[in-house]
Amino acid sequence: MEIHIFTIFPEMFRGPINTSILKRAQEQQLITFNLIDFRSYSPSKHQNVDDSPFGGGAGMVLKPEPIYSAVESVLGNVQDYHGKILLMSPQGEPFKQKMARDLAQEESLAFICGHYEGFDERVRALADQEISIGDYVLTGGEIPAMVVIDAVCRLLPGVLGESESPLADSFYHGLLEYPQYTRPREFRGMVVPDILLSGNHEEIRRWRCQEALRRTLQRRPDLLKTQDFSDEERELLAQLESRISNLEKSGC
Ligand code: 9D3
């Protein structure tokens, strides 16, 4: 996959893309990054990329010319571009794992990042999709772009090793992860559940499934609403729910 990033702060990306898994993926030529500073595409002498809003008011607005000219000089006519152009914006569609899976199918992605100011409305016409990473205010679209890039890249074939396989992701099942333990068996008085040491793999599998359901029910009940359950999951969830309602009846 090739990934183009349009930003006035290309240096913000160098750490994340040149570390760990993304670094390895570039070395294996699974991903290529192209950082473009759209400030250098500004038609003005001082290379300014923003201006005050028509109609008045505080703050500045990102001008359309530097962004269009950077995007068109790198991607060509956007109508003929074979990938997806993504505009990072607080007003975008909330980013979810499903979007990461869809974007991972593309050959090429282009991210447009603003920095603590809105885009001139006409910039939106350049983009195929507008993406937000959640309901909190950040200083720019660079970190959101990195979040999306990280989530997408780890899904590309070969990017993760066997032991890090994305097939094991809890969000594939739509549940939170079950509790995990490693050595030592006892640490500061806290012990590993006996079942994990029992060697009974069927019992361990059921325990993990139920613990994943328990965690999800406790911490993220919203995730259970949209879930397609297997018969076994339904049974384990019903057990949990009846135990919880019995506890409530007994005044716990
Ligand atoms: C002064 C600018 N604000 C006017 C009310 C709006 C504003 C625009 C741009 C506030 C913050 C930003 C910077 N944020 C992003 O570009 C951004 C973002 C975010 O802040 N939260 C979650 N997802 C995203 S994607 C891009």
Side-chain angles (χ1 to χ4, degrees), residues 152-222:
V152 169
C153 287
R154 66 184 289 288
L155 298 177
L156 301 175
V159 167
L160 296 186
E162 193 101 44
S163 68
E164 311 146 323
S165 166
L167 292 176
D169 290 355
S170 64
F171 272 86
Y172 269 88
H173 305 113
L175 297 178
L176 300 184
E177 231 152 68
Y178 51 77
Q180 302 241 60
Y181 296 87
T182 186
R183 276 174 281 275
R185 200 190 63 79
E186 184 182 340
F187 175 72
R188 301 196 179 182
M190 297 176 278
V191 294
V192 176
D194 282 335
I195 192 159
L196 297 177
L197 310 168
S198 70
N200 186 335
H201 296 291
E202 176 56 18
E203 283 296 302
I204 291 170
R205 194 190 55 73
R206 269 179 78 85
W207 181 85
R208 285 178 166 166
C209 182
Q210 190 153 37
E211 291 306 308
L213 287 164
R214 184 199 309 282
R215 278 236 155 135
T216 312
L217 195 62
Q218 271 169 355
R219 299 184 183 191
R220 292 295 305 279
D222 59 300

Side-chain angles (χ1 to χ4, degrees), residues 43-201:
S44 79
K45 211 170 50 198
H46 297 99
Q47 305 217 307
N48 56 318
V49 292
D50 56 6
D51 204 343
S52 44
F54 275 126
M60 300 286 273
V61 176
L62 285 163
K63 295 161 64 60
E65 300 96 316
I67 297 176
Y68 271 78
S69 97
V71 167
E72 286 169 347
S73 81
V74 173
L75 305 182
N77 190 332
V78 300
Q79 261 66 279
D80 306 329
Y81 173 51
H82 61 291
K84 283 256 142 62
I85 302 181
L86 311 173
L87 187 70
M88 305 314 294
S89 141
Q91 299 161 57
E93 182 184 347
F95 185 60
K96 294 283 151 62
Q97 188 65 22
K98 163 79 166 75
M99 293 165 79
R101 287 196 293 266
D102 291 342
L103 294 174
Q105 303 305 308
E106 301 289 333
E107 252 173 75
S108 179
L109 296 175
F111 292 82
I112 302 173
C113 309
H115 202 82
Y116 210 75
E117 47 198 16
F119 295 100
D120 180 289
E121 195 59 24
R122 293 162 292 189
V123 172
R124 299 205 148 82
L126 256 183
D128 296 297
Q129 267 188 76
E130 202 169 318
I131 302 178
S132 159
I133 62 161
D135 295 338
Y136 33 79
V137 183
L138 302 171
T139 58
E142 296 85 4
I143 290 171
M146 275 317 321
V147 167
V148 173
I149 288 166
D150 194 84
V152 169
C153 287
R154 66 184 289 288
L155 298 177
L156 301 175
V159 167
L160 296 186
E162 193 101 44
S163 68
E164 311 146 323
S165 166
L167 292 176
D169 290 355
S170 64
F171 272 86
Y172 269 88
H173 305 113
L175 297 178
L176 300 184
E177 231 152 68
Y178 51 77
Q180 302 241 60
Y181 296 87
T182 186
R183 276 174 281 275
R185 200 190 63 79
E186 184 182 340
F187 175 72
R188 301 196 179 182
M190 297 176 278
V191 294
V192 176
D194 282 335
I195 192 159
L196 297 177
L197 310 168
S198 70
N200 186 335
H201 296 291

